[in-house]
Amino acid sequence: MWQHSHWPQTWFAGLPKAQSQLVQYAQECNTVEGNTTFYSLPHADAVERWAASVPEHFSFTFKFSQNITHVHQLKHCEEDVQAQLALLAGLKNKLGLMMVQLPSQFGPQKLNDLERFLTMLPDTISVGVEVRHLDFFAKGEAEKAFNQLLIRNNANRIMMDTRALFTGPCHDTLLKEVREKKPRVPVNVIATGDKPVVRFVGNNNEVDNESCLRPWVTKVHQWRCQGKTPYVFCHRPDNKDAPWLAQLFIDMYNTAFPTTPLPNLSLKVNPTQDALF
């Protein structure tokens, strides 16, 4: 997400209120995980406005619509795919990645559908695939076949890390709701393409978050050294606090690898202590 009702008083405090939050966000980050296209497609004028609001190096990451991935589960959806890609073509080189988020019912028996879908996409589109069927995490033949399919098609495996989210007690209503909604799947780390994607979901305890982020610091650095472009998206139970989780990762990375630092965020106001502990 690139906007939140709390950010004008915290992250974007002191910036022009008339300026859109996307403009402000794009001054701080170089990509965003846009969930909006999963539920409904925007109007063409909105796409043009988004493209004009961000610098050239910024890249949008959008999901294919749920009609494609969940209703049709990648079958008989050619017209929907063409319509969505034609709409987002207005972003030009600012469309960094399209995400295919598949439901837990999408199992190994449907891998042929996934391969047909990927081969249907134009070569100019970078794609990431997120699966939730547990056979794809069991380190058996199903997972091997899935990873090889992604490698053949230069598609990136999306790695969802919810370990921090499910660490520790749950005394918070919102945390309980988020735990019920988010998948609890193993974290199998592999870069099947040039743009590996990490979706990290933390909790409200910085110690847990730091512990679970630490392995990603080394892995992201390794990918960068290999010439890959990793995408790291940070979530919190209440995403008003997500920028501070991103900054925690940046601080950890820059401490470990000061010669190849990541840019810091200009976080002017700290979140409340009870949001952290």
Side-chain angles (χ1 to χ4, degrees):
M1 61 194 310
W2 61 67
Q3 60 184 13
H4 195 288
S5 59
H6 281 254
W7 289 349
Q9 290 77 46
T10 55
W11 189 10
F12 303 142
L15 295 178
K17 295 188 181 301
Q19 197 175 61
S20 79
Q21 286 197 39
L22 177 56
V23 171
Q24 296 167 338
Y25 178 98
Q27 294 172 3
E28 300 280 314
C29 302
N30 57 14
T31 190
V32 66
E33 180 185 347
N35 207 33
T36 178
T37 54
F38 181 75
Y39 299 102
S40 63
L41 297 185
H43 294 292
D45 58 347
V47 175
E48 292 180 9
R49 187 170 62 252
W50 296 343
S53 298
V54 301
E56 285 300 315
H57 69 273
F58 191 89
S59 64
F60 290 90
T61 302
F62 284 120
K63 292 179 182 179
F64 279 104
S65 76
Q66 61 182 340
N67 195 50
I68 294 170
T69 58
H70 285 58
V71 177
H72 293 292
Q73 296 195 25
L74 308 185
K75 297 175 68 176
H76 314 301
C77 57
E78 291 82 358
E79 291 185 3
D80 286 343
V81 171
Q82 292 173 5
Q84 182 166 357
L85 293 181
L87 178 64
L88 296 178
L91 297 173
K92 300 180 180 178
N93 61 309
K94 295 174 183 177
L95 179 59
L97 197 75
M98 289 297 300
M99 302 173 74
V100 182
Q101 181 179 294
L102 296 169
S104 58
Q105 303 97 312
F106 194 98
Q109 74 280 6
K110 297 183 179 180
L111 283 180
N112 287 338
D113 297 332
L114 175 59
E115 182 131 42
R116 280 193 294 270
F117 179 84
L118 293 177
T119 56
M120 175 179 66
L121 300 178
D123 293 337
T124 54
I125 298 295
S126 297
V127 64
V129 181
E130 180 182 325
V131 288
R132 298 186 175 182
H133 194 288
L134 291 180
D135 282 355
F136 293 130
F137 300 87
K139 299 187 181 298
E141 290 303 313
E143 181 172 8
K144 181 179 178 181
F146 172 58
N147 289 337
Q148 289 178 340
L149 185 158
L150 296 181
I151 292 170
R152 284 196 304 272
N153 292 277
N154 193 30
N156 303 277
R157 179 163 185 171
I158 297 174
M159 291 152 277
M160 169 73 87
D161 186 353
T162 56
R163 290 173 295 184
L165 175 67
F166 289 100
T167 297
C170 183
H171 303 304
D172 180 88
T173 301
L174 178 59
L175 178 59
K176 181 176 183 295
E177 291 176 359
V178 175
R179 283 186 175 183
E180 291 173 350
K181 292 178 181 179
K182 292 293 183 182
R184 191 173 189 176
V185 294
V187 182
N188 293 1
V189 181
I190 183 173
T192 58
D194 295 329
K195 297 179 179 180
V197 183
V198 179
R199 301 181 69 221
F200 184 92
V201 188
N203 67 13
N204 292 328
N205 185 301
E206 292 296 83
V207 174
D208 295 337
N209 292 336
E210 184 173 348
S211 176
C212 293
L213 277 172
R214 188 169 292 112
W216 291 117
V217 170
T218 303
K219 180 54 65 175
V220 166
H221 183 69
Q222 179 186 349
W223 285 332
R224 292 181 78 198
C225 290
Q226 293 171 351
K228 299 183 185 299
T229 304
Y231 284 64
V232 181
F233 298 108
C234 295
H235 302 261
R236 288 278 294 267
D238 189 331
N239 272 326
K240 69 180 176 62
D241 301 320
W244 284 265
L245 180 59
Q247 185 61 59
L248 174 62
F249 175 79
I250 292 169
D251 289 342
M252 294 171 64
Y253 184 95
N254 291 348
T255 298
F257 304 106
T259 60
T260 55
L262 301 174
N264 286 298
L265 307 182
S266 56
L267 298 173
K268 304 173 182 65
V269 179
N270 289 324
T272 57
Q273 285 301 306
D274 54 348
L276 291 174
F277 299 100

